[in-house]
Amino acid sequence: MMKEKRIYYGWYIVIFASIIVLLSMGMRMGIGPFIHPIMEDLKLSRTEISLIVSVGMIFYGVGMPLAGILLKAFNTRIVLLIGLTTVCLSIVWTVYAKGMVSFLLSYGVLLSIGLAFLSSITLSPIVSKWFVRQRGKALFYLTTGGMAGLAVMTPVETWLIDLVGWQNTLLVFGGVFICIVLPSALFIMHEDVPEEADGPGAVVGKERPAAPADLTWKDALKTITYWKIVFGLFACGFGMNLLGSHGVPMLMDHHFAPMTASLGVGLIGIVAIFGSLFLAQLADRFPRKYILFLVYVVRGLGFFGLVYSAANWQLFLVSFIGGLAWSGSVAMSTAILGDLYGVRLLGILNGLAYFIGHQVGAAIGSFLGGWGYEVFGTHIISFSAAGILALLASFASITLPQNLSFSKQVFGVKQREGSSVSK
């Protein structure tokens, strides 16, 4: 009698981690439906609510290296529980907030930090521990949760706000977070990985050299390779948030109908879900830097295509092609960090890279999109800047070492006998 083949436990971790990322990304990035009702109830101006959103973006980034530090000190379960507690407390505070300062602290600061603790920064290390030869695929599936969050949460939030109001909508999502995150943290997120990572019989992907056991995060920060990855994430954050904040207004200014402009931008997110599933099948079969290079090239050309589109078919074609590679940069950057520097340091290195690179780029991109149009009367400058940054990021990616061995002399410390040199 044939022995029943069991599903590798790591895939359960990927499923629940993806759902958590769907919720956290959808809540953080899907603020659009909340804007008008919050402005009306709290008597906030558009400038004030924009300031709160910007502050939230920064503290979302600040929370990521904090999550990485806590991961290094404790474990995934503890960080998830801290994040869940912070999110629930901030939601209750937000519901009863009166005035700008109270809302800024509760929604802009505390909720953003809590959601950062429930983001892919916390969950990527445990996924990377459970997968070695299929690490790229697993991380792409985790990214798919983020893309699905952007696509799913916005219409759900809009429907719930119309039905029960924005305060009760937040409370509903607080309950959903409890129902998903609490059992995931207590019963699913196990750190004790079996010796045969990826599961018995896994043949996809290749074995990769392990990072030195004595490497520190300070050592990693002194390598050019790390800052190439950070630059790529800067280009990613710049472009993604420029498109999210100013994509529809730009297309409308270029004489597209409002619905056409919305569909054009929305198509990128929808295609990105399927694009990430497709790229996941390639992530472990080819050198990761080549996939990251391809993602940035397609994205860079896509920004030029969007700003110069003149007909509906051109817009939808550019959106479709761009969406195929829209979600790959974060997954591949995370996988490369794990490969080169080790899973042990992935939480803090990924958190710092996301904050310094992605979130700083996001803030600058969002600002430049509005400021550039007001000063120069055109969107070409900001969208061309996004395209150029993505193409430069593609060059930085293709020059990444495929295998990285560390010499102590790289970090100004006497080299140990037998240690190897960076390639």
Side-chain angles (χ1 to χ4, degrees):
M1 185 175 180
M2 291 185 62
K3 186 178 180 181
E4 183 181 357
K5 187 176 180 180
R6 293 185 178 182
I7 298 176
Y8 178 53
Y9 187 81
W11 291 116
Y12 293 110
I13 291 179
V14 171
I15 291 171
F16 281 88
S18 298
I19 295 173
I20 293 172
V21 170
L22 182 153
L23 292 171
S24 62
M25 279 283 287
M27 180 66 73
R28 178 67 276 163
M29 304 300 291
I31 188 176
F34 289 94
I35 294 291
H36 285 295
I38 288 174
M39 286 173 58
E40 293 176 4
D41 281 2
L42 300 183
K43 304 296 187 286
L44 298 175
S45 67
R46 186 170 293 275
T47 299
E48 290 172 331
I49 194 70
S50 298
L51 175 63
I52 291 171
V53 173
S54 298
V55 169
M57 190 181 300
I58 295 298
F59 275 91
Y60 185 61
V62 169
M64 290 178 173
L66 291 178
I69 292 171
L70 288 174
L71 276 176
K72 195 170 183 297
F74 301 104
N75 55 40
T76 306
R77 176 176 298 169
I78 296 298
V79 178
L80 287 178
L81 292 175
I82 293 173
L84 176 62
T85 303
T86 305
V87 165
C88 291
L89 290 175
S90 64
I91 286 176
V92 173
W93 185 5
T94 299
V95 166
Y96 291 99
K98 302 294 181 184
M100 178 181 174
V101 174
S102 180
F103 188 77
L104 170 66
L105 294 175
S106 59
Y107 187 87
V109 177
L110 194 62
L111 180 60
S112 297
I113 292 175
L115 291 173
F117 285 6
L118 302 180
S119 71
S120 61
I121 297 300
T122 296
L123 294 161
S124 294
I126 191 170
V127 170
S128 298
K129 286 179 183 177
W130 279 87
F131 294 91
V132 178
R133 287 166 290 169
Q134 299 181 95
R135 181 174 293 162
K137 179 192 289 188
L139 289 173
F140 258 112
Y141 288 157
L142 184 64
T143 303
T144 304
M147 291 295 102
L150 297 177
V152 172
M153 290 281 279
T154 300
V156 171
E157 288 168 354
T158 302
W159 174 70
L160 280 174
I161 289 171
D162 289 340
L163 189 66
V164 298
W166 69 270
Q167 293 98 331
N168 288 327
T169 297
L170 284 177
L171 292 174
V172 167
F173 278 114
V176 173
F177 271 103
I178 292 173
C179 293
I180 298 296
V181 177
L182 187 60
S184 297
L186 295 179
F187 306 115
I188 304 297
M189 301 298 168
H190 298 305
E191 305 276 354
D192 37 330
V193 182
E195 289 185 9
E196 193 173 7
D198 295 274
V203 295
V204 178
K206 298 182 273 188
E207 296 288 349
R208 300 174 191 270
D214 57 350
L215 180 69
T216 70
W217 66 272
K218 293 181 181 179
D219 292 336
L221 294 184
K222 296 176 183 177
T223 62
I224 296 175
T225 295
Y226 181 75
W227 293 103
K228 288 180 179 180
I229 296 171
V230 171
F231 175 74
L233 288 173
F234 176 89
C236 173
F238 184 101
M240 286 187 71
N241 285 270
L242 173 68
L243 182 67
S245 302
H246 303 284
V248 172
M250 178 273 290
L251 292 171
M252 291 173 61
D253 290 335
H254 289 190
H255 309 296
F256 286 95
M259 182 57 69
T260 302
S262 298
L263 289 173
V265 174
L267 181 63
I268 295 175
I270 295 172
V271 175
I273 297 175
F274 300 97
S276 63
L277 294 175
F278 170 72
L279 289 175
Q281 309 309 312
L282 308 178
D284 302 293
R285 298 178 183 271
F286 301 96
R288 305 199 201 283
K289 67 176 183 178
Y290 295 143
I291 298 176
L292 190 58
F293 166 79
L294 177 64
V295 166
Y296 283 131
V297 166
V298 173
R299 189 178 295 183
L301 296 176
F303 280 109
F304 288 106
L306 282 174
V307 78
Y308 285 110
S309 291
N312 289 358
W313 72 267
Q314 293 174 331
L315 170 61
F316 293 131
L317 179 62
V318 169
S319 297
F320 180 84
I321 295 174
L324 291 174
W326 191 251
S327 65
S329 56
V330 173
M332 280 294 90
S333 297
T334 302
I336 292 171
L337 283 172
D339 291 342
L340 298 183
Y341 298 100
V343 175
R344 178 176 56 89
L345 299 177
L346 183 59
I348 187 168
L349 290 180
N350 205 19
L352 285 171
Y354 206 91
F355 173 46
I356 298 171
H358 195 280
Q359 291 307 107
V360 171
I364 294 174
S366 297
F367 172 77
L368 183 62
W371 176 83
Y373 184 73
E374 287 185 349
V375 173
F376 301 105
T378 178
H379 295 282
I380 291 177
I381 293 176
S382 58
F383 277 79
S384 295
I388 292 170
L389 283 171
L391 293 176
L392 290 174
S394 71
F395 176 77
S397 301
I398 203 66
T399 60
L400 290 172
Q402 189 169 337
N403 300 317
L404 192 64
S405 300
F406 290 88
S407 166
K408 288 298 182 181
Q409 289 184 341
V410 172
F411 310 116
V413 182
K414 185 177 179 181
Q415 183 177 357
R416 293 179 308 169
E417 183 179 354
S419 63
S420 54
V421 181
S422 297
K423 295 181 180 179

